[in-house]
Amino acid sequence: MKVNEIFYSLQGEGRHVGTPAVFVRFSGCNLKCSFCDTAHHVFTEMSVDDIMREVAKHPARHVVVTGGEPTLQLTAELVDRLHRAGKYVQIETNGTHPLPAGCRVDWVTCSPKDAPVVLQHIDELKVVFMSADQNMSLYDRFAASVYSLQPCDVGDRAANARILADAIAYCLAHPKWHLSLQTHKLINVR
């Protein structure tokens, strides 16, 4: 498997924000989002055994499988091995590919982009919010336990402040949505 990096930090986004977690970031993605903050071309080839050894170096029970797009490489074998090691497995995916056959993750965070979502089960729908005139009705068809609205970081302080204000206003007007800030950036951790 092509692994971009494995590191230990706090989950910075969504339902599990603040949870100590081991992040297994796969390289490669089928989409090209302008706001993406991952260098998808950088990777190390790792076996399931290699990944398990790296994950075992950290005390957290929570493992976040992310990317890139992790469904392009994730295997049921890796998830099963993580479960046998007592880990809680969360995946962060764009939802454009199904989970591999037999892959039973504990929490599915789906962040749809400009491509059809094919996932059958979503625990958390996390939408990157760009502006007040964003068509949020696109997400009405998704059933999830948690609906998170994440203001997009466009790298411009004034624009980010407008996006944040619009996201707050949207959540207040539509209370099924929870504001999800990228707290890892706010507290300066990975």
Side-chain angles (χ1 to χ4, degrees):
M1 290 180 260
K2 295 177 180 177
V3 177
N4 180 272
E5 62 180 336
I6 297 175
F7 63 97
Y8 183 50
S9 189
L10 298 175
Q11 173 58 288
E13 305 170 356
R15 166 64 179 84
H16 294 96
V17 69
T19 303
V22 180
F23 291 81
V24 178
R25 182 182 307 279
F26 287 106
S27 187
C29 189
N30 58 317
L31 302 179
K32 302 273 190 265
C33 301
S34 61
F35 51 83
C36 185
D37 56 4
T38 301
H40 297 289
H41 61 284
V42 177
F43 65 89
T44 301
E45 282 286 345
M46 296 181 79
S47 67
V48 171
D49 287 338
D50 294 334
I51 293 169
M52 292 302 298
R53 275 192 292 278
E54 287 300 311
V55 168
K57 291 178 181 179
H58 307 287
R61 179 175 176 264
H62 196 110
V63 174
V64 179
V65 180
T66 187
E69 176 46 45
T71 59
L72 299 175
Q73 297 183 67
L74 184 66
T75 64
E77 177 190 1
L78 176 59
V79 174
D80 288 346
R81 293 270 306 272
L82 289 166
H83 281 147
R84 285 197 305 271
K87 304 300 183 184
Y88 175 93
V89 181
Q90 174 187 356
I91 188 170
E92 295 181 345
T93 175
N94 61 33
T96 58
H97 290 272
L99 294 178
C103 193
R104 298 178 325 273
V105 298
D106 300 296
W107 187 265
V108 177
T109 300
C110 178
S111 185
K113 307 301 188 284
D114 292 327
V117 171
V118 301
L119 285 179
Q120 299 299 309
H121 173 82
I122 298 171
D123 293 296
E124 178 179 12
L125 183 69
K126 184 175 69 175
V127 173
V128 177
F129 190 77
M130 305 288 280
S131 70
D133 55 351
Q134 184 168 334
N135 182 3
M136 292 298 292
S137 68
L138 296 172
Y139 309 107
D140 290 344
R141 68 181 183 89
F142 295 103
S145 300
V146 176
Y147 295 84
S148 296
L149 195 64
Q150 183 170 294
C152 187
D153 180 354
V154 296
D156 176 89
R157 206 177 181 120
N160 284 351
R162 280 191 304 279
I163 293 168
L164 175 59
D166 290 344
I168 291 169
Y170 190 86
C171 289
L172 290 171
H174 304 89
K176 86 172 185 180
W177 289 92
H178 300 161
L179 185 67
S180 174
L181 301 177
Q182 292 181 298
T183 59
H184 55 291
K185 291 182 179 180
L186 299 173
I187 62 174
N188 199 29
V189 298
R190 287 176 75 183

